[in-house]
Structures are given as structure tokens and as C-alpha cells.
Amino acid sequence: MPDIAPNAQASAAAIDAIVAARQDMPGALLPILHEIQDTQGHIPDAAVPVIARALNLSRAEVHGVITFYHHFRQQPAGRHVIQVCRAEACQAVGAEALADHAKRALGCGFHETTADGAVTLEPVYCLGQCACGPAVMVGERLHGYVDAKRFDALVRSLREAQAANETAEAQA
């Protein structure tokens, strides 16, 4: 193996193990991509040729699937991921205005991360909360009836919790 950082070696080994464990299952590409993203936080560029070779696909085919599905990231996400529902039911009750506010408040667009690396903003096409829109997902937690004021409060809570964690780590 080339001389690469230990984290990169661990990441490559984890990707190899995921691909090896799933490559013979029918329709293996999506389960492999999901597991890599779940364990690595994104789909590293180095994973594409490994997956392509194992599944007898071209790199372009693997890359095409990664870029087609909004769920997959090619870069690491921020410490927190906020997803704003973009489906029609949420749009009918103000999701477009919420999305515009979120972009302004965070200073980044969809599929981008704030300058401080704290928050990645992502669109999602239905969180299953159609009666409670606009809806957002903050990490693994779902929030309904989110307007600009509530969005700001959620972001403020994330930042306060992060600051508290950093303070606690510094004192330890």
C-alpha cells in the first residue's frame, strides 16, 4: 500500500471490506454506497474505482449513480447536517421561503457547508411530515412547522451545544 496517512489507510481498508462483503449481492451498488457513506460520512473519490472494479462497472457508471442521488455526498459534511424538505406539500406551506432564509442565515447553499465547518445544508424530497410542513431534519431529529424564527433557534441550539462540547473537551 502506498505511503498514506493512517486515517486514509483505515478508510481504504473499511471501503474494501464493505465492497467485499456486499459485492455478490443482487443490486449491490446502492447498498455499498449507503454503507460507505454511513461509515465514512461521504463517498470518497478513491472508493469509485474500488466499487467499479468489484462490480464490473465503469467508473462513470458508479459516479453517475453517486451524482444522481442527492443523498450521496462526495465531500465530508459539516459537524451537523440540516435537511430542508423541498417536496410539494412543504412548498405549499412556505418551504421555499424557509430554504431561502436557511441559505442566507447559514451563508451557504444546498450541498454546501458553512465556512466554520459546523453545518451542511441539504435539500431532501420528503421527510414524511406533509401535514406538519415545512419540515426539517437536524441530524437524526425531525422538526415540523419550521419557520425562519424556529430555524434560527434550531441553529442557535446546535452552535451552543457545539460550544459547550468544545469547552468541556478543553477542560478535560
Side-chain angles (χ1 to χ4, degrees):
M1 190 170 249
D3 186 26
I4 54 178
N7 279 359
Q9 286 180 343
S11 176
I15 290 167
D16 289 344
I18 290 166
V19 172
R22 296 184 180 275
Q23 72 184 40
D24 293 326
M25 69 187 300
L29 181 55
L30 287 175
I32 287 170
L33 292 173
H34 278 285
E35 188 167 347
I36 289 172
Q37 179 154 306
D38 289 348
T39 60
Q40 306 298 307
H42 69 294
I43 310 292
D45 290 338
V48 173
V50 173
I51 296 166
R53 193 171 28 261
L55 299 181
N56 197 29
L57 298 170
S58 71
R59 291 178 184 191
E61 289 172 305
V62 175
H63 179 76
V65 171
I66 293 167
T67 57
F68 177 79
Y69 291 104
H70 293 285
H71 172 76
F72 296 122
R73 289 185 211 97
Q74 293 178 281
Q75 301 298 322
R79 290 182 296 279
H80 307 282
V81 175
I82 298 177
Q83 297 175 317
V84 178
C85 184
R86 309 283 293 143
E88 291 81 2
C90 282
Q91 284 185 27
V93 292
E96 193 65 36
L98 177 61
D100 291 342
H101 174 79
K103 291 174 191 176
R104 280 191 311 276
L106 295 173
C108 67
F110 284 127
H111 305 290
E112 295 179 357
T113 300
T114 56
D116 64 0
V119 178
T120 296
L121 183 63
E122 295 183 342
V124 65
Y125 296 89
C126 195
L127 290 168
Q129 297 296 303
C130 300
C132 304
V136 300
M137 180 85 82
V138 179
E140 299 294 318
R141 189 154 182 197
L142 190 58
H143 301 272
Y145 304 111
V146 178
D147 58 10
K149 184 177 178 181
R150 182 143 185 240
F151 181 85
D152 291 345
L154 291 168
V155 171
R156 191 169 37 257
S157 290
L158 282 179
R159 293 189 185 277
E160 288 170 357
Q162 184 65 38
N165 286 341
E166 289 171 2
T167 300
E169 289 174 5
Q171 293 174 349

